[in-house]
DNA sequence: ATTGTGGCCTGCCCGC
DNA sequence: TGCGGGCAGGCCACAA
């Protein structure tokens, strides 16, 4: 599903869509427009303008909008992908495989599209409508991006919290980009139990966590998806810890299905 | 403020 | 063979 690695791949793909005049804006489903905006407002923002730059904060893509003359447009455009959203530019997908989504190319799932005057298009295909389009997305509501997280930022995100460690890792307001699969993978690699109180980590454990967060994100970016972790094949009933062979526990932590090893995650 | 819960969305898979 | 229930989780609203 789209966590940080997929959305980073989308960002790179989206660079192909920059500086190309928008001829027509297609909102396939009005429910896909979020945050109180309207399809008309989104169309009005993009029509006749072009995308200037694209940045990623966690799982959010933010596009600068420009006038054809090069001046800044009146607002920025945000794209979210939920767990089933796919980005395509000129028909090419940002990622090959998307766990829990469908690989079919049903045109009814094209929830949002920018058709360029050159004939190409940027398309968000999302069977389940869990993603969305935002006008002037509230980036201040997101914590620092997980990929460039510093030790001080991790400490700030965890210290003095009674919430489960995994819930804090997935709290986009504190650390942006970590979703369910990556949280399980990182905690498994770091040997930390998902239900531990976030504020209970020692400085050494925080260092270990940050080390494995960076390593994991690097690995998954390279492998091409949040579903390519070493724990992933065992996140099934009867699955066993790839490290020591013990049967994994399946719990709900932070409201999400959590697979973890009771032997080495403490 | 912090933390937890339920709902939204719908394709897909399993069991009957 | 068709049908129905359960499941998946990012995000948001809401409750205590």
């Amino acid at each position: 599903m789209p966590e940080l690695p997929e959305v980073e791949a989308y960002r790179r793909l989206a660079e192909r869509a920059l500086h190309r005049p928008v001829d027509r804006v297609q909102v396939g489903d009005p429910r896909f427009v979020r945050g109180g905006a309207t399809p008309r407002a989104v169309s009005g923002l993009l029509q006749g303008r072009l995308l200037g730059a694209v940045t990623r904060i966690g799982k959010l893509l933010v596009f600068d909008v420009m006038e054809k003359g090069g001046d800044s447009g009146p607002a920025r455009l945000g794209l979210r992908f939920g767990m089933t959203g796919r980005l395509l530019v000129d028909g090419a997908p940002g990622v090959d495989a998307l766990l829990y989504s469908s690989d079919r190319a049903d045109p009814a799932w094209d929830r949002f599209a920018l058709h360029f005057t050159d004939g190409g298009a940027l398309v968000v295909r999302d069977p389940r409508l869990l993603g969305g389009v935002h006008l002037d997305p509230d980036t201040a509501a997101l914590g620092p991006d997980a990929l460039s997280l510093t030790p001080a930022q991790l400490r700030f995100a965890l210290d003095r919290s009674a919430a489960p460690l995994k819930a804090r890792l997935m709290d986009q307001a504190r650390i942006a980009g970590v979703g369910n699969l990556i949280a399980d993978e990182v905690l498994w690699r770091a040997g930390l139990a998902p239900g531990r109180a976030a504020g209970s980590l020692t400085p050494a454990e925080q260092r270990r966590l940050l080390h494995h967060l960076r390593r994991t994100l690097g690995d998954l970016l390279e492998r091409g998806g949040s579903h390519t972790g070493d724990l992933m094949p065992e996140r099934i009933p009867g699955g066993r810890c790839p490290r020591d062979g013990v049967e994994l526990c399946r719990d709900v932590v932070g409201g999400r299905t959590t697979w973890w090893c009771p032997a080495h995650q403490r």
Side-chain angles (χ1 to χ4, degrees):
Chain A
M1 69 202 67
E3 296 188 39
L4 189 151
E6 285 83 0
V7 181
E8 176 59 20
Y10 294 170
R11 188 197 64 75
R12 292 173 191 170
L13 175 70
E15 290 184 338
R16 296 188 201 169
L18 304 183
H19 308 296
R20 296 164 64 179
V22 175
D23 175 53
R24 187 168 61 87
V25 180
Q26 170 196 345
V27 178
D29 190 310
R31 291 173 295 176
F32 207 61
V33 177
R34 311 283 185 177
T38 62
R40 176 184 288 271
V42 173
S43 297
L45 169 66
L46 277 310
Q47 191 110 34
R49 297 198 172 90
L50 33 81
L51 302 174
V54 55
T55 55
R56 179 191 57 76
I57 307 175
K59 308 169 195 173
L60 173 72
L61 281 193
V62 182
F63 292 87
D64 288 341
V65 177
M66 287 169 40
E67 309 287 354
K68 282 177 181 171
D71 293 339
S72 292
R76 295 193 296 172
L77 174 76
L79 295 182
R80 291 187 191 279
F81 300 91
M83 70 180 275
T84 51
R86 214 179 276 269
L87 185 73
L88 302 100
V89 176
D90 303 331
V95 297
D96 294 330
L98 208 50
L99 193 67
Y100 303 130
S101 193
S102 171
D103 290 332
R104 283 162 51 205
D106 190 331
W109 296 340
D110 291 354
R111 310 298 186 177
F112 177 72
L114 299 179
H115 298 276
F116 303 114
T117 53
D118 58 28
L122 174 146
V123 174
V124 179
R125 181 176 296 158
D126 183 2
R128 288 181 49 193
L129 286 166
L130 288 167
V133 177
H134 298 251
L135 279 189
D136 275 331
D138 183 10
T139 55
L142 291 171
D145 188 75
L147 203 53
S148 54
L149 199 71
T150 66
Q153 287 171 331
L154 179 64
R155 190 181 344 118
F156 186 73
L158 301 183
D159 273 0
R160 285 178 298 282
S161 170
L165 174 56
K166 180 178 173 182
R168 277 272 162 143
L169 277 182
M170 293 193 301
D171 183 344
Q172 302 301 299
R174 305 187 185 272
I175 300 171
V178 177
N180 197 42
L181 297 182
I182 292 180
D184 277 4
E185 177 78 13
V186 169
L187 292 173
W188 174 78
R189 290 190 185 196
L192 295 167
R196 276 272 297 274
S200 73
L201 268 62
T202 65
E205 287 174 327
Q206 287 192 3
R207 279 196 297 276
R208 212 164 76 218
L209 178 57
L210 185 58
H211 170 78
H212 286 288
L213 177 63
R214 289 171 171 166
R215 286 286 309 255
T216 300
L217 290 173
D219 286 349
L220 301 190
L221 277 165
E222 193 174 318
R223 297 176 190 175
S226 56
H227 62 286
T228 60
D230 300 331
L231 180 66
M232 193 63 214
E234 302 296 328
R235 291 177 94 260
I236 51 171
R240 293 184 170 276
C241 176
R243 182 174 298 182
D244 49 38
V246 171
E247 186 162 341
L248 296 174
C249 290
R250 180 191 193 274
D251 286 318
V252 174
V253 181
R256 292 297 162 229
T257 301
T258 300
W259 296 86
W260 64 287
C261 172
H264 84 270
Q265 289 182 252
R266 300 285 175 178

